[in-house]
Amino acid sequence: METNGTLQLYPFLRIAGLFLGGILLAAHFSSVPSYGWLLAAAVALVFSILQKKNPIASTTFLFACILMMGGWRMAVHNEHFVLPQEDYYEYDAVVASQPVQHGKVLMCDLIVTSFQKPVKVSASIFNDENSRKLEVGSGIHALSFFEHPRNFEDAKYDYRSYLLHHGYVATTFLYSGEWTPARFSLKCLSMVQRARLTLLRYRASIIRRLAGSGMEMRHLAFVAAMSLGDKTLLDKETRTLFSITGTSHVLALSGLHFGIIYSLLMLLPFCRRHYFWGTVFVLMALWSFAMLAGLSSSIVRAAIMFSIYSVAQMSRRNTQGLNSLALAAFIMLAVSPNNIYDVGFQMSFAAVFFIVLFHQPFTANPRFRKKFYDSPSNRWPWAARWVWKTLTVSLSAQLGVAPLLAYHFHYLSAHFIIANFIVIPATAFIISMSIPLILCCKIEPVFMVLKDMLAFVVSLLESALRWIGEMPFPVFDNVHINAIQTMALYTAILSLSLLFINFSRDGLHS
């Protein structure tokens, strides 16, 4: 089957791009009601059908329809997102995130169930004996003042926009006498919300069990972050260390972690003997793990892409990486258009997009293969292949997120390549050992062996990252660019990418 252009191979890339464009248009023209966007989409669709004898005109109107549908979805989302009036409210709520201590308060998310529909509130609860007993899934009855999200004085970070884009309708402060523990029905929550709360409570119980089994808190923090998606135990120094070495991606559970878990599960005898039902079991396990890890943007993206890949394998069809990535973006934006403002969403998709774009040309080009790992004089081709693939993936991902790092965080890591050669195999080992560690925490002899192995690897990893972080010029900081400059950078990078890909294809046919 011939196609009239490279983009014809990636239909979902065009659909997702147009849908995203519609979302951004609706965010800019927020006064246009949802029925206006829907009417425009219907008109465009009618013209597309009427112009079916003119392929160019028909396709143009169809693209306009998809664009308008993106605007409609964003407008519907905005119309349903209503901030409550600033006032005192008496309400029932369930704790939706693990409370984290900040000074004299514990900060957590609350899902308030007393309104017409459940809403999310960012709460600061005075730190006392009772509040320290709160955990994910705890119910409270409270009376407190709801404030609209706003920025702190002299704050450089736009905290108000962060809260609004992540669905928080208010912030509140709870003093000791303003709340009491309570039990009430959660039937008003969706099935996904209830399942997520159940699995988050289970995650908290796993971490408590590991902490009570004698595991050092420093090592537990690494295991909880890399294998369970809970970063609350990581101190500020450790987070900074991962940031300046360009390895924060291993703390955000994503495709790397899913790939390891997927590979381990597919090795089970049941999955190998019964491919169809084994794949169904693996997908159910992966989505359960996604909810256990908190359903962050990066892990939802990975779960959707692995689901697409598995379904394609079961139906004996090939998958295009860019198509799978674009379909994942479309699904996530259709469910929640505000995902586009989530930094994790942006960086996850940018990194994977550039990996898909660059990795195959780098590894498939015969010139590179012959020079780096297919040379007859190479005694260890498997080692050279692993080094080359790790290098290309690290470079591709860093190229994809560099403009976003400069825009959001104003720094770029200088030693990310060296750090990733250490972090990626260490992460694979930690995840592979964490699963049996969690399963065997009540079998003391096995648990002690696994715990000591993990502690040794974590200590080596931490020491290596500290050594890299102490190298001269670890980061390029104070890099300030605006949104237009960020888009210009991506345009330049993509233009050069297309030139490189064309050069790579010429190499394949030379």
Side-chain angles (χ1 to χ4, degrees), residues 261-502:
I261 296 170
Y262 181 88
S263 300
L264 290 173
L265 290 175
M266 289 303 289
L267 290 175
L268 294 173
F270 171 76
C271 297
R272 299 178 70 179
R273 250 185 243 130
H274 309 281
Y275 183 76
F276 177 83
W277 292 111
T279 303
V280 171
F281 164 75
V282 169
L283 287 179
M284 291 175 62
L286 288 180
W287 277 104
S288 298
F289 175 73
M291 285 191 281
L292 181 73
L295 288 177
S296 65
S297 295
S298 60
I299 203 165
V300 171
R301 188 265 311 156
I304 293 173
M305 290 189 70
F306 270 95
S307 300
I308 295 168
Y309 170 79
S310 299
V311 171
Q313 289 294 304
M314 286 192 292
S315 58
R316 301 183 185 279
R317 294 186 178 183
N318 294 326
T319 57
Q320 293 281 357
L322 287 179
N323 265 335
S324 300
L325 183 67
L327 179 56
F330 175 78
I331 292 171
M332 291 180 69
L333 291 173
V335 171
S336 177
N338 266 352
N339 273 325
I340 190 58
Y341 298 109
D342 181 56
V343 178
F345 177 92
Q346 296 170 13
M347 295 185 68
S348 175
F349 277 91
V352 176
F353 179 80
F354 275 79
I355 289 171
V356 173
L357 198 65
F358 276 111
H359 183 60
Q360 195 272 342
F362 265 123
T363 54
N365 191 305
R367 299 174 187 174
F368 292 123
R369 292 169 63 95
K370 186 175 180 179
K371 185 174 181 180
F372 289 99
Y373 55 83
D374 279 348
S375 173
S377 60
N378 191 347
R379 295 183 179 180
W380 298 287
W382 61 269
R385 190 177 294 111
W386 177 82
V387 169
W388 180 243
K389 288 185 177 181
T390 302
L391 179 64
T392 56
V393 168
S394 299
L395 279 172
S396 302
Q398 196 68 21
L399 191 63
V401 301
L404 288 172
L405 284 172
Y407 176 69
H408 289 293
F409 306 110
H410 317 301
Y411 79 90
L412 294 171
S413 173
H415 304 314
F416 65 92
I417 294 178
I418 302 172
N420 277 285
F421 275 115
I422 299 169
V423 164
I424 290 175
T427 301
F429 180 85
I430 290 171
I431 295 172
S432 301
M433 289 296 102
S434 294
I435 296 173
L437 179 81
I438 292 168
L439 295 175
C440 300
C441 63
K442 291 187 177 181
I443 308 174
E444 189 169 349
V446 178
F447 176 81
M448 295 303 292
V449 172
L450 293 174
K451 185 186 74 169
D452 291 342
M453 291 171 63
L454 270 175
F456 177 71
V457 173
V458 168
S459 298
L460 284 180
L461 174 61
E462 193 174 14
S463 300
L465 290 181
R466 291 189 188 282
W467 174 70
I468 294 169
E470 291 169 0
M471 286 182 175
F473 310 109
V475 292
F476 302 106
D477 52 3
N478 295 318
V479 183
H480 295 273
I481 60 174
N482 57 34
I484 295 175
Q485 291 170 326
T486 304
M487 293 305 298
L489 269 175
Y490 273 116
T491 302
I493 292 170
L494 286 171
S495 300
L496 292 173
S497 302
L498 293 175
L499 288 174
F500 173 80
I501 290 171
N502 288 331

Side-chain angles (χ1 to χ4, degrees), residues 124-179:
S124 299
I125 306 174
F126 186 76
N127 187 1
D128 60 15
E129 185 179 353
N130 289 328
S131 62
R132 284 192 289 272
K133 297 177 183 177
L134 291 174
E135 59 182 18
V136 177
S138 298
I140 65 170
H141 180 80
L143 173 66
S144 65
F145 190 81
F146 279 13
E147 290 183 308
H148 291 164
R150 53 173 53 92
N151 290 324
F152 300 108
E153 292 184 10
D154 302 324
K156 295 180 181 179
Y157 182 67
D158 191 356
Y159 187 59
R160 176 182 179 276
S161 294
Y162 170 84
L163 291 177
L164 292 174
H165 291 153
H166 284 78
Y168 296 89
V169 300
T171 62
T172 190
F173 188 94
L174 290 166
Y175 292 96
S176 298
E178 292 183 334
W179 68 274

Side-chain angles (χ1 to χ4, degrees), residues 4 8 14-15 18-19 40-69:
N4 59 351
Q8 288 285 78
R14 292 177 291 173
I15 293 171
L18 290 165
F19 195 79
V43 171
L45 181 60
V46 169
F47 274 99
S48 176
I49 295 171
L50 293 176
Q51 294 291 325
K52 63 181 179 180
K53 293 183 178 180
N54 186 343
I56 296 177
S58 178
T59 302
T60 301
F61 281 116
L62 183 60
F63 285 173
C65 176
I66 298 170
L67 188 76
M68 296 302 110
M69 287 303 295

